[in-house]
Amino acid sequence: MNITPKTVVVFHYTLRDEQGTELESSRDADPSAYLHGANNIIPGLESAMTGKAAGDVFSATVAPEQAYGLRNPEKVQRVPIKHLLFKGKLRPGMVVQMNTKEGRHPVTVTKAGRHTADIDTNHPLAGQQLTFDIEIVDVRAASADELTHGHAHGPGGHHH
Ligand code: ZN
């Protein structure tokens, strides 16, 4: 079965940045699962997946516009440190979680003071070209529930 909209794709991935540094990998854990055609993954990766089948191994290099977007320099702000979740000493360059009205978001610390910190709320991978090394483990038809929910269920997907 080839990857088309309304299929669930189970896959392993290793994510690397422009310098080739490994950022994330599913290799030490269960493969991930997503519902194809439902914007569950970044657009550039989803289009690279189209038409592939179980057993396929390939690399996809995705421009920032098709990944986490370009960096917006205006998304830097000063916030009270108490809004940030971190362990140890706050340092520039750290990615920490920030509590907001909409929930928690990863932000990058650009400057750390005693009571406030300057944080960059761009996604940590914004502005980066990303390369995914992909192995397709399984492709199956989505269930009616998965189509209604707009995501994959079961191992690597959502659990309710
Ligand atoms: Zn669901």
Side-chain angles (χ1 to χ4, degrees):
M1 174 174 259
N2 289 348
I3 297 174
T4 57
K6 301 185 181 179
T7 58
V8 168
V9 181
V10 181
F11 68 108
H12 271 299
Y13 70 94
T14 299
L15 169 59
R16 289 181 285 121
D17 67 13
E18 262 168 80
Q19 287 74 41
T21 306
E22 184 178 316
L23 302 174
E24 264 178 57
S25 179
S26 65
R27 289 284 173 186
D28 299 331
D30 289 333
S32 297
Y34 80 97
L35 174 61
H36 192 76
N39 295 316
N40 289 176
I41 60 174
I42 60 169
L45 183 57
E46 187 161 54
S47 59
M49 292 283 206
T50 303
K52 298 289 197 294
D56 284 355
V57 174
F58 62 98
S59 289
T61 296
V62 179
E65 295 88 336
Q66 293 296 310
Y68 293 97
L70 296 170
R71 268 196 87 248
N72 179 353
E74 289 174 11
K75 284 187 164 183
V76 175
Q77 56 182 273
R78 183 159 292 179
V79 299
I81 280 180
K82 64 183 179 198
H83 291 178
L84 305 176
L85 296 169
F86 60 97
K87 287 190 182 121
K89 188 167 159 35
L90 199 63
R91 291 177 203 280
M94 278 173 76
V95 176
V96 301
Q97 296 288 319
M98 180 169 73
N99 281 321
T100 70
K101 285 191 288 287
E102 294 85 36
R104 286 179 184 177
H105 295 283
V107 299
T108 306
V109 177
T110 58
K111 195 173 166 190
R114 188 180 292 271
H115 302 293
T116 62
D118 291 356
I119 51 136
D120 183 342
T121 62
N122 286 289
H123 189 282
L125 296 177
Q128 296 206 43
Q129 175 182 281
L130 302 174
T131 297
F132 294 87
D133 299 323
I134 301 290
E135 178 191 350
I136 307 294
V137 175
D138 187 34
V139 182
R140 62 171 172 82
S143 69
D145 273 355
E146 287 172 323
L147 293 174
T148 306
H149 291 196
H151 55 229
H153 291 162
H158 281 249
H159 301 275
H160 295 288

